[in-house]
Amino acid sequence: MRKILIVGDFTNDTSDVNSFLAQHFHTQLCTNSAKIVKSMLKLYTPDLVLMDIDCLDLSDEDIFQVLQEYNSQLPVITYGKETNKQMFISYYYSGQCKHIQQASREVVIKAICKEFNMNADAILNAVVETDKRHIIVVDDNPVLLRNMRNMLQDKYRVTLATSAAQCMKVMGQDKPDLIILDYEMPVVDGKQTLEMIRAEQDYKDVPVIFLTGIADKEHVDAVLDLKPAGYFVKPPMQTKIINAIENIFLKQEG
């Protein structure tokens, strides 16, 4: 499945775009920060970037620079007002960036399919199963995130987040069925992130599995005191973590 990195500020428009693209492509949301875009490009290696330019101003020109420096052949489709496109017009001259004004389902899918040489009508008319459970994996380690995605993506719809802030933003766009959370993270650690999640009425019952890099009893006891749905020492075994996830879902259904 082709991979699309969606860059925006997680407004309703971005949410709507992601909701229908996720049915046909492997999508990843990314905040409109050059630093985060640069990190996500290396982690996610997208086939195409879709970017909302209505949330950008002239100070965000470095996002275009990051995309150009990463791979000048990587197709970038922007959507939004034509006047906003004019702020970054020089980046369209090479052909890497193309612009559409209307972010409707039909227009966006046709533009993407044109880049991928795919049949847009077949996708627009397709009935796609959307019953996969949504799991967010939160960790500041790109290697672990990539490995976790590879472990889980065949069975679940997986979204990656590199920080607590990004996790909360993703949750606001696409409520997860479960969160896998690194206990030891800089700035805002796993304990604080869990407290943030449980403080939100809509997400307080979302089960959280902790990942920890420290296996001594004192540390494990501190993790368990938070009453997570489960915990694993890094790196977790694929069969064991999937079994744990499935057991959590079975308990919810019971």
Side-chain angles (χ1 to χ4, degrees):
M1 187 178 286
R2 298 293 189 113
K3 295 191 292 184
I4 299 176
L5 183 66
I6 303 176
V7 179
D9 66 352
F10 303 100
T11 60
N12 289 333
D13 284 346
T14 305
S15 177
D16 291 342
V17 168
N18 180 59
S19 65
F20 67 78
L21 286 180
Q23 300 176 33
H24 311 283
F25 304 96
H26 193 294
T27 63
Q28 173 68 49
L29 292 173
C30 180
T31 52
N32 53 320
S33 155
K35 183 178 179 180
I36 295 175
V37 170
K38 186 174 183 178
S39 174
M40 194 59 72
L41 285 169
K42 294 177 181 178
L43 171 68
Y44 187 61
T45 58
D47 300 299
L48 181 143
V49 174
L50 182 66
M51 184 158 58
D52 177 4
I53 61 170
D54 282 346
C55 63
L56 305 183
D57 56 39
L58 282 171
S59 66
D60 296 308
E61 182 181 7
D62 49 357
I63 295 177
F64 285 86
Q65 293 172 355
V66 164
L67 293 170
Q68 192 175 65
E69 291 168 4
Y70 171 75
N71 180 357
S72 61
Q73 302 303 310
L74 175 68
V76 177
I77 296 175
T78 62
Y79 64 91
K81 297 183 181 68
E82 183 69 21
T83 51
N84 290 342
K85 170 193 169 183
Q86 295 304 316
M87 291 191 294
F88 312 104
I89 192 64
S90 63
Y91 293 96
Y92 292 83
Y93 293 152
S94 68
Q96 179 183 15
C97 297
K98 297 178 176 63
H99 184 70
I100 53 177
Q101 292 188 50
Q102 184 183 4
S104 69
R105 177 183 308 218
E106 183 175 356
V107 172
V108 171
I109 285 184
K110 283 185 175 181
I112 291 171
C113 287
K114 184 176 180 180
E115 293 298 324
F116 289 158
N117 293 316
M118 296 170 64
N119 185 338
D121 291 333
I123 289 180
L124 288 168
N125 296 328
V127 177
V128 180
E129 292 185 7
T130 59
D131 58 352
K132 278 188 175 181
R133 302 268 196 166
H134 179 213
I135 295 177
I136 299 177
V137 184
V138 191
D139 200 295
D140 62 311
N141 184 328
V143 175
L144 185 134
L145 280 178
R146 187 164 53 245
N147 290 342
M148 291 299 298
R149 183 187 64 211
N150 291 339
M151 280 185 194
L152 303 173
Q153 65 183 356
D154 288 342
K155 193 170 181 63
Y156 310 103
R157 190 159 51 86
V158 182
T159 303
L160 307 179
T162 57
S163 67
Q166 191 173 11
C167 173
M168 299 304 290
K169 287 181 178 179
V170 171
M171 286 173 62
Q173 294 303 311
D174 191 353
K175 183 178 178 179
D177 297 289
L178 182 139
I179 297 169
I180 299 174
L181 177 61
D182 180 19
Y183 187 75
E184 302 94 11
M185 289 193 299
V187 186
V188 180
D189 63 19
K191 178 179 183 294
Q192 294 168 308
T193 305
L194 180 62
E195 290 170 349
M196 291 165 61
I197 293 167
R198 289 179 174 168
E200 296 284 340
Q201 184 65 30
D202 291 341
Y203 311 124
K204 64 183 180 64
D205 295 324
V206 174
V208 173
I209 292 177
F210 271 123
L211 296 180
T212 176
I214 305 173
D216 63 74
K217 184 178 184 303
E218 182 180 351
H219 193 80
V220 170
D221 286 345
V223 174
L224 292 177
D225 284 344
L226 299 174
K227 295 181 171 51
Y231 83 94
F232 285 86
V233 176
K234 300 178 185 179
M237 290 181 60
Q238 182 179 24
T239 53
K240 288 187 176 181
I241 197 164
I242 288 179
N243 285 340
I245 291 168
E246 287 300 299
N247 285 333
I248 291 168
F249 290 152
L250 283 173
K251 287 179 182 177
Q252 287 180 327
E253 293 171 359

